[in-house]
């Protein structure tokens, strides 16, 4: 009997798809593992290194087994997994609930138990499980149940990351399949418009994610800067402020934090965003509470998210999706703190990493276009 959850907090790691597309190989995986450790990302909490689509041959072998591409992975997948494990990281791989993956490689449909056993033998810790090329007569709920059972039957703890795209009201039933995360969005692109679209589609679904089954808003594009080999993902890139807002929203909304840029060439600016310990702590808070939205009156393009944290604290995110700066006010009674209660809020800034002091009744901040301000608040008696 499992005594602890596999995913008590949102998974953190790196995935090859956004930047490298089909240009993956054993050397890249080894170099990326090295970079995750040497850059400080591992110490910041990023532990999964995940190979996405295009790692196998186009056909199974005579016994029906998946075959790693010998040109990309001459040592096999287990050798890559072993190297990742030697670095103190966990190893992830990709498959699909259909007959073919999204890039046209063999999927796991009707091979679930065979593939799960092979993944466990290789030392896989995380399976991204996509939703392409399934028979039209087959709904995804049963297919995710089937792979979940197959993974559990191996006796190895393997995260099941259901990349389901938000069809068939996935948020209503996915937890019952045994999946640990669920994609409920279209694929992200390296653009502000994509980030804004994804967030807007998920604000009403916050209550459906919780410990051991998190709403995955797709991989991070922080640090891509319009580059990479993936023609579907790379766009014009984002500004540093937009990348900061992107990361803050994923942290506040309990999304897995899966990096998509080339961490071997991580810029100082991207590293500062991705390794912000104060924002990571909000994402990884042990209570895993969902955030609620507070509307503001000063700007129709601005909103506030409030997330209850452990230790009687609250994470508060001020966000401005507008194209010009805006003043944004949070009235503390919208959090439940009456002005007659005799309490103020002790405020700490999570981007500047410093105390702001005590605020009473409300807090107004000016937010630049596409920007944010993230603070922690704790009620404090004023008598």
């Amino acid at each position: 009997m499992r005594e602890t959850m596999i995913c008590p907090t949102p998974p953190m790691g790196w995935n090859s798809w956004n930047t490298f597309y089909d240009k993956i190989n054993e050397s890249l995986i080894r170099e990326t593992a090295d970079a995750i450790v040497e850059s400080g990302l591992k110490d910041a909490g990023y532990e999964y290194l995940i190979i996405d689509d295009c790692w196998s041959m186009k056909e199974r072998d005579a016994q029906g087994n998946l075959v790693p591409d010998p040109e990309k992975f001459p040592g096999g997948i287990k050798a890559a997994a072993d190297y990742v494990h030697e670095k103190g990281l966990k190893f992830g791989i990709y498959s699909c609930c259909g007959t073919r993956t999204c890039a046209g490689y063999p999927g796991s449909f009707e091979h679930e138990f065979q593939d799960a056993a092979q993944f466990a033998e290789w030392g896989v810790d995380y399976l991204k499980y996509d939703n392409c090329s399934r028979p039209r007569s087959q709904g995804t709920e049963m297919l995710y149940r089937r792979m979940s059972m197959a993974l559990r039957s191996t006796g190895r703890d393997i995260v099941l990351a259901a990349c389901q795209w938000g069809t068939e009201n996935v948020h209503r039933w996915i937890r019952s399949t045994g999946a640990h995360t669920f994609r409920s969005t279209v694929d992200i692109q390296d653009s502000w418009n994509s980030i804004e679209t994804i967030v807007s589609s998920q604000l009403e679904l916050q209550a459906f994610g919780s410990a051991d089954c998190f709403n995955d808003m797709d991989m991070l594009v922080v640090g891509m800067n319009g580059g990479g080999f993936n023609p579907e993902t790379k766009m014009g890139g984002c500004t540093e402020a937009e990348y900061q807002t992107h990361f803050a929203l994923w942290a506040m909304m309990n999304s897995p934090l899966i990096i998509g840029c080339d961490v071997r060439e991580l810029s100082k600016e991207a590293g500062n965003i991705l390794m912000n310990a104060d924002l990571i702590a909000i994402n990884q808070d042990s209570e895993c509470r969902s955030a609620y939205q507070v509307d503001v009156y000063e700007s129709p393009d601005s909103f506030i998210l409030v997330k209850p944290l452990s230790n009687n604290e609250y994470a508060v995110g001020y966000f401005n999706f507008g194209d010009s700066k805006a003043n944004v006010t949070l009235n503390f009674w919208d959090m439940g703190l009456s002005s007659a209660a005799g309490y103020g809020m002790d405020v700490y800034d999570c981007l500047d990493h410093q105390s702001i002091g005590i605020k009473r009744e409300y807090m107004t901040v000016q937010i630049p276009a596409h920007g944010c301000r993230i603070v922690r608040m704790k009620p404090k008696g004023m008598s």
Side-chain angles (χ1 to χ4, degrees):
M1 179 177 179
R2 182 179 292 122
E3 296 180 354
T4 59
M5 292 181 286
I6 296 179
C7 288
T9 57
M12 296 174 62
W14 175 90
N15 180 289
S16 62
W17 184 251
N18 278 1
T19 293
F20 293 100
Y21 197 48
D22 61 346
K23 307 294 190 297
I24 51 175
N25 55 56
E26 190 171 327
S27 295
L28 170 66
I29 299 310
R30 288 172 177 262
E31 291 169 8
T32 298
D34 293 343
I36 290 172
V37 174
E38 294 165 5
S39 66
L41 287 166
K42 176 180 179 292
D43 290 339
Y46 296 92
E47 61 177 344
Y48 291 99
L49 190 160
I50 305 154
I51 299 174
D52 211 288
D53 204 351
C54 309
W55 58 266
S56 75
M57 297 293 287
K58 289 281 190 172
E59 301 294 337
R60 293 174 179 267
D61 68 16
Q63 289 72 46
N65 294 311
L66 293 167
V67 181
D69 187 322
E71 293 187 8
K72 295 178 179 178
F73 296 94
I77 295 299
K78 189 175 189 310
D82 287 347
Y83 188 86
V84 169
H85 290 148
E86 288 169 5
K87 292 291 180 176
L89 302 170
K90 296 180 180 179
F91 180 76
I93 205 165
Y94 168 99
S95 190
C96 185
C97 71
T99 57
R100 311 294 288 179
T101 71
C102 298
Y105 294 79
S108 291
F109 182 74
E110 296 290 1
H111 290 270
E112 290 88 355
F113 281 79
Q114 181 177 17
D115 291 354
Q118 193 169 22
F119 297 151
E121 181 182 348
W122 287 341
V124 168
D125 304 296
Y126 181 113
L127 174 65
K128 178 180 174 181
Y129 203 48
D130 221 331
N131 189 27
C132 285
S133 301
R134 59 181 172 83
R136 293 298 93 188
S137 60
Q138 181 67 65
T140 55
E141 184 172 357
M142 178 57 72
L143 297 181
Y144 283 104
R145 286 183 199 168
R146 191 184 298 175
M147 181 51 85
S148 175
M149 181 180 289
L151 294 174
R152 287 167 176 257
S153 297
T154 68
R156 183 178 180 83
D157 285 346
I158 301 176
V159 172
L160 175 56
C163 184
Q164 204 271 354
W165 320 329
T167 65
E168 303 176 78
N169 290 314
V170 61
H171 55 279
R172 296 189 178 277
W173 51 260
I174 190 63
R175 186 176 182 85
S176 67
T177 69
H180 301 97
T181 71
F182 63 99
R183 268 279 303 286
S184 54
T185 73
V186 297
D187 286 1
I188 196 169
Q189 296 177 318
D190 187 13
S191 72
W192 171 249
N193 181 66
S194 176
I195 294 166
E196 183 177 6
T197 298
I198 287 174
V199 171
S200 298
S201 75
Q202 298 306 299
L203 286 172
E204 299 299 321
L205 301 182
Q206 281 295 283
F208 290 96
S210 62
D212 226 27
C213 190
F214 293 98
N215 185 352
D216 180 1
M217 302 200 308
D218 207 4
M219 295 165 284
L220 297 164
V221 293
V222 176
M224 288 190 64
N225 299 314
F229 297 107
N230 192 334
E232 301 170 1
T233 303
K234 72 174 186 177
M235 303 294 284
C238 299
T239 66
E240 185 177 344
E242 290 167 346
Y243 282 139
Q244 178 65 84
T245 299
H246 165 37
F247 186 77
L249 282 160
W250 265 235
M252 287 288 298
M253 296 173 74
N254 287 344
S255 179
L257 301 178
I258 308 296
I259 298 169
C261 70
D262 186 351
V263 295
R264 301 172 306 171
E265 300 179 0
L266 189 68
S267 69
K268 179 181 178 181
E269 294 76 15
N272 288 340
I273 292 172
L274 293 169
M275 289 185 275
N276 182 325
D278 288 321
L279 293 189
I280 290 173
I282 291 170
N283 179 261
Q284 297 290 298
D285 186 75
S286 60
E287 291 195 11
C288 297
R289 303 248 177 217
S290 57
Y292 61 85
Q293 183 176 347
V294 177
D295 293 326
V296 297
Y297 300 103
E298 298 100 325
S299 167
D301 298 315
S302 300
F303 63 94
I304 292 168
L305 292 179
V306 179
K307 178 184 176 183
L309 304 174
S310 55
N311 195 33
N312 191 29
E313 290 188 274
Y314 297 83
V316 178
Y318 295 75
F319 299 98
N320 177 18
F321 280 9
D323 295 329
S324 58
K325 63 184 178 182
N327 289 319
V328 182
T329 298
L330 172 63
N331 294 304
F332 294 159
W333 53 79
D334 286 330
M335 299 172 65
L337 183 60
S338 167
S339 58
Y343 281 79
M345 283 291 189
D346 193 1
V347 183
Y348 173 85
D349 192 307
C350 295
L351 300 186
D352 292 335
H353 311 293
Q354 62 183 9
S355 174
I356 294 176
I358 305 296
K359 297 288 184 178
R360 301 194 67 174
E361 298 191 18
Y362 69 92
M363 179 174 168
T364 301
V365 296
Q366 187 176 84
I367 309 297
H370 305 172
C372 69
R373 182 88 169 271
I374 312 298
V375 299
R376 294 176 77 111
M377 295 185 176
K378 187 169 185 175
K380 185 171 183 178
M382 302 303 294
S383 58

